[in-house]
Amino acid sequence: MHSTSLDNTLPVKARRLVAVMCADVVGYARLMQRDEVATHARIKDVAAVIMQCIEENGGRLVKSMGDGFLMEFGSVSSAISSGVSIQKKIAGQNVRLGNEDRVVLRIGLHVGDVIVDGDDIFGDGVIVASRLEGLAEPGSILMSQSAYGHLNGQITNQLVSMGNVELKNIDRPMAVWQWLPENSETVPADQHVSGVQHQSSKPSVAVLRFLNLSSNEGQEYLVRGICDDLQSSLSKSQLFRVVARNSSFSFDPNAVNPQQVGRALNARYIVQGSVRTAGQRIRVNATLVDTTLATEIWSDKFDGELEDVFDLQDQMTAALTAAIIPEITLAEIERTRKVRVGDLSAWDHYLRSVQLMQKMTVSSNREAIAHLQTVLDLDADFSSAWAMLSRCHVTAVYQLWGENEDEELQIAKNAARRAIETDPTNPLAYDAKAAVHVFCRQFPEAILSAQTALKLDPSLTSAYSSLASALAFTGQSKEALEICFQADHISPRDLDRSQRQMAIVIANFVGGNYETTKQECQRCILIKPNWFGVYTFLAASCAFLGEAEQSKAAISRLLEIIPQYTRTKHKERMWLQREIDRQKLLEGLEMAGLPK
């Protein structure tokens, strides 16, 4: 009596172990809807390429199904050689076509037992290869661990581990490996899982699974929680594309090649790290890598106590996010310096405006505005650009750089409104609105807008600065300083902490701490030497401390920045809400020698 196969008809002798390869056209229905005749012709060309590559490598086309192809080979070496050749030749055919017209394949490869029925094959080997094909990136080959193990070192340096994946109706996780072409930009953006990014476009960031270095495997839930929260928090920033966790978490953290991971996920930056616990102590080490250069651009460690796990995760996430975002922004700004002006994308123009805003001069402010106008000409829905435009105009009004204050302020208001309209979930938009409210002395509205921004992104330190400024101007010195301390704890390395530093100055002044105010003014001047407002508080504080020469020097510097400035003009422009604070500042400025 013969034992039988899955369909109870074929004997055991009809089974054989083969390398099974499945290929499928990405976006077939879309292509056919776009142009049936042209698509049909192109797929015939693809079929001819497949047949040629199969024959060259001793394989067999089992069957084709319109947009799908099933192949078998006697060895994995023959199968992978055929698959690589197919993908490269099809990529070559696509070079002359527009993105929307390209025919792109996904390929899955597995070694398994199959049932032979005439010219057809069935069974687990075919099912697994088909499942792998469905998970593969467009233009790539995704293979099982069993197939990888048969390669004997052949092209393994071109493969990247994707970790373990779960396949539909397969009862066990499976380790998989992926091959991608050298130039992954041959894949159309609308056919790529994560979207192909031009070198000058907004970058993608991938958070990889952190290593659990604790002896207690039960801590794995904590490691996963930190990674999940970090991935989600970075997504809220709106500044970068963040690769979906299903893709980024699939990599084995023990064997990561940054450049291969970057190509596989189409990510310019990856975040990787480790978590170690000892008793009630926890240490998280994190590293940020530029995958295009395979260069580590930032690393740091964060320590905490395991008393409240959820609170700890929140603290770690906020600290990691607040550290990582400025580092990516700095790296991106550095990259744009190497891009020719004519090749700048909307994202590059935006980055240049961010850099220019740090200089705090009339010319840099106007140049930043010009870059932002170019951004919005290219992409009118770039919410963060509208937010930055609002901040540029608010700064110009505050520094008396514009010819028409009312007109400039109205532009700032409109830009903040557009930032929210184009993306109601963008925390930078509400932060810009908060800055406008602060300038307009609408402090309750400013506090509400800043709090909204922080609900959307608890790591947005500029929103802490807006909130602290509103509190300080209303005389809530203690509350303002607590907010600033919280922001400093979250992000000690801001790109620009001048607004927060100014809030610290104001809070100390209204609290009557003149010695501290003087010291904080000096710190603020190191960051923004052209911010005229800081010199008013420095002059008044030095005057109250009896330091006449220093107070006069502060007034002299103030008049260099804004000639013919007077106490009368400052009285009209003061944002201090309490009368006692207003009078105290004017008294100090009179003692320091600011003309009436």
Side-chain angles (χ1 to χ4, degrees):
M1 179 177 178
H2 294 289
S3 60
T4 56
S5 63
L6 294 179
D7 62 3
N8 295 318
T9 60
L10 292 177
V12 172
K13 66 179 182 180
R15 290 179 180 273
R16 65 171 176 247
L17 187 69
V18 296
V20 182
M21 197 160 73
C22 291
D24 182 72
V25 175
V26 180
Y28 176 72
R30 177 188 59 79
L31 289 167
M32 291 299 285
Q33 288 177 359
R34 177 175 170 79
D35 190 333
E36 285 186 353
V37 175
T39 297
H40 180 68
R42 290 184 188 118
I43 290 178
K44 285 183 68 176
D45 291 341
V46 166
V49 167
I50 290 174
M51 284 301 301
Q52 178 189 352
C53 294
I54 292 173
E55 291 173 359
E56 289 174 352
N57 289 279
R60 181 175 75 93
L61 177 65
V62 177
K63 58 184 174 183
S64 62
M65 301 148 282
D67 63 332
F69 304 86
L70 175 63
M71 297 153 272
E72 69 167 342
F73 297 83
S75 71
V76 176
S77 297
S78 298
I80 192 66
S81 294
S82 180
V84 169
S85 183
I86 289 168
Q87 293 290 33
K88 287 183 175 180
K89 288 183 178 181
I90 291 175
Q93 290 181 345
N94 283 331
V95 169
R96 65 179 186 273
L97 300 174
N99 281 351
E100 294 183 350
D101 296 321
R102 294 179 181 181
V103 174
V104 180
L105 293 183
R106 292 188 180 96
I107 295 178
L109 174 58
H110 176 60
V111 169
D113 197 33
V114 299
I115 301 168
V116 181
D117 184 2
D119 291 334
D120 210 346
I121 58 175
F122 301 89
D124 187 66
V126 177
I127 293 171
V128 173
S130 176
R131 297 281 188 263
L132 291 171
E133 172 265 303
L135 288 178
E137 292 280 326
S140 78
I141 302 169
L142 191 65
M143 68 170 62
S144 64
Q145 177 65 42
S146 63
Y148 179 82
H150 283 78
L151 286 176
N152 298 319
Q154 295 166 304
I155 79 158
T156 51
N157 63 330
Q158 299 177 41
L159 301 173
V160 60
S161 170
M162 299 295 288
N164 292 325
V165 300
E166 294 184 1
L167 303 179
K168 183 179 179 182
N169 297 329
I170 304 297
D171 60 2
R172 62 196 182 282
M174 181 175 291
V176 296
W177 295 76
Q178 183 162 256
W179 174 90
L180 275 173
E182 288 296 325
N183 180 12
S184 60
E185 290 185 10
T186 57
V187 182
D190 65 339
Q191 296 181 359
H192 200 291
V193 171
S194 55
V196 170
Q197 56 178 311
H198 185 272
Q199 184 63 17
S200 296
S201 69
K202 185 186 291 189
S204 286
V205 184
V207 178
L208 307 187
R209 278 190 297 133
F210 283 20
L211 273 171
N212 179 12
L213 298 179
S214 305
S215 56
N216 182 3
E217 292 184 3
Q219 295 293 347
E220 188 62 37
Y221 77 92
L222 176 61
V223 177
R224 178 61 183 254
I226 291 172
C227 293
D228 276 340
D229 289 351
L230 177 59
Q231 201 267 356
S232 176
S233 181
L234 288 173
S235 299
K236 293 176 182 177
S237 74
Q238 303 288 330
L239 290 175
F240 321 110
R241 299 184 182 93
V242 180
V243 176
R245 58 171 58 87
N246 287 344
S247 295
S248 60
F249 287 8
S250 66
F251 286 88
D252 182 352
N254 288 291
V256 171
N257 180 306
Q259 288 183 305
Q260 289 181 327
V261 172
R263 287 175 55 218
L265 296 179
N266 196 34
R268 194 175 295 164
Y269 302 96
I270 60 171
V271 181
Q272 56 188 129
S274 62
V275 179
R276 186 192 303 273
T277 58
Q280 289 298 107
R281 297 284 297 165
I282 181 173
R283 170 165 292 178
V284 176
N285 284 286
T287 302
L288 179 67
V289 178
D290 183 332
T291 65
T292 60
L293 304 173
T295 303
E296 182 180 302
I297 58 177
W298 168 87
S299 65
D300 207 344
K301 64 179 183 293
F302 303 84
D303 296 322
E305 299 284 343
L306 285 168
E307 295 176 1
D308 185 326
V309 172
F310 294 114
D311 184 52
L312 173 68
Q313 284 184 204
D314 288 344
Q315 292 177 24
M316 288 290 183
T317 300
L320 284 164
T321 305
I324 289 167
I325 289 176
E327 295 297 338
I328 295 177
T329 304
L330 285 170
E332 285 291 285
I333 287 173
E334 181 62 29
R335 181 187 57 76
T336 65
R337 291 175 180 162
K338 303 171 185 176
V339 180
R340 295 181 305 171
V341 174
D343 294 333
L344 292 176
S345 67
W347 170 245
D348 292 331
H349 282 288
Y350 173 77
L351 287 172
R352 292 208 173 178
S353 75
V354 172
Q355 183 184 23
L356 288 162
M357 270 293 288
Q358 312 309 315
K359 297 181 179 180
M360 199 75 172
T361 65
V362 181
S363 59
S364 65
N365 180 273
R366 293 313 174 191
E367 191 176 348
I369 289 173
H371 277 288
L372 290 167
Q373 288 171 338
T374 300
V375 172
L376 295 169
D377 287 341
L378 295 170
D379 182 0
D381 293 329
F382 198 146
S383 175
S384 297
W386 284 112
M388 180 60 73
L389 183 65
S390 177
R391 279 195 166 277
C392 283
H393 283 288
V394 164
T395 301
V397 176
Y398 177 79
Q399 290 286 112
L400 297 173
W401 288 336
E403 296 180 1
N404 189 319
E405 181 174 309
D406 291 338
E407 181 179 329
E408 193 119 30
L409 183 58
Q410 190 58 49
I411 294 173
K413 290 179 179 178
N414 291 339
R417 176 179 54 79
R418 285 295 303 276
I420 294 172
E421 287 176 352
T422 52
D423 187 354
T425 67
N426 186 358
L428 293 172
Y430 294 95
D431 185 30
K433 186 179 181 183
V436 171
H437 284 311
V438 167
F439 183 86
C440 296
R441 302 171 180 82
Q442 299 165 336
F443 299 115
E445 292 87 348
I447 291 171
L448 180 61
S449 293
Q451 289 173 337
T452 301
L454 289 171
K455 284 180 182 178
L456 291 168
D457 182 3
S459 67
L460 183 60
T461 50
S462 61
Y464 286 97
S465 301
S466 298
L467 178 57
S469 296
L471 292 170
F473 280 130
T474 54
Q476 300 176 69
S477 175
K478 181 180 177 182
E479 293 82 355
L481 290 173
E482 286 176 352
I483 291 294
C484 291
F485 175 79
Q486 186 178 356
D488 279 338
H489 179 70
I490 291 172
S491 180
R493 293 191 61 188
D494 268 356
L495 279 179
D496 177 17
R497 68 183 308 278
S498 57
Q499 185 185 2
R500 185 158 79 250
Q501 184 61 38
M502 193 64 189
I504 294 172
V505 167
I506 300 163
N508 277 289
F509 184 85
V510 300
N513 304 314
Y514 301 125
E515 180 64 39
T516 305
T517 302
K518 181 185 77 170
Q519 294 171 0
E520 298 297 347
C521 282
Q522 291 166 343
R523 291 192 180 97
C524 191
I525 289 168
L526 288 174
I527 303 170
K528 283 286 192 292
N530 296 322
W531 197 335
F532 90 90
V534 68
Y535 294 99
T536 64
F537 290 102
L538 178 59
S541 296
C542 288
F544 291 135
L545 292 170
E547 299 173 352
E549 290 301 316
Q550 291 191 46
S551 65
K552 289 179 180 178
I555 292 298
S556 176
R557 175 61 181 141
L558 169 62
L559 293 174
E560 285 178 12
I561 298 170
I562 305 181
Q564 282 112 35
Y565 198 66
T566 64
R567 297 201 309 276
T568 300
K569 287 182 180 178
H570 196 66
K571 184 177 181 179
E572 296 171 354
R573 294 176 55 79
M574 272 198 296
W575 284 268
L576 296 173
Q577 189 178 56
R578 298 189 307 180
E579 187 60 29
I580 186 173
D581 296 330
R582 295 167 63 86
Q583 291 303 320
K584 198 69 178 176
L585 180 57
L586 289 171
E587 178 187 346
L589 290 173
E590 182 178 6
M591 292 170 61
L594 183 66
K596 184 178 181 180

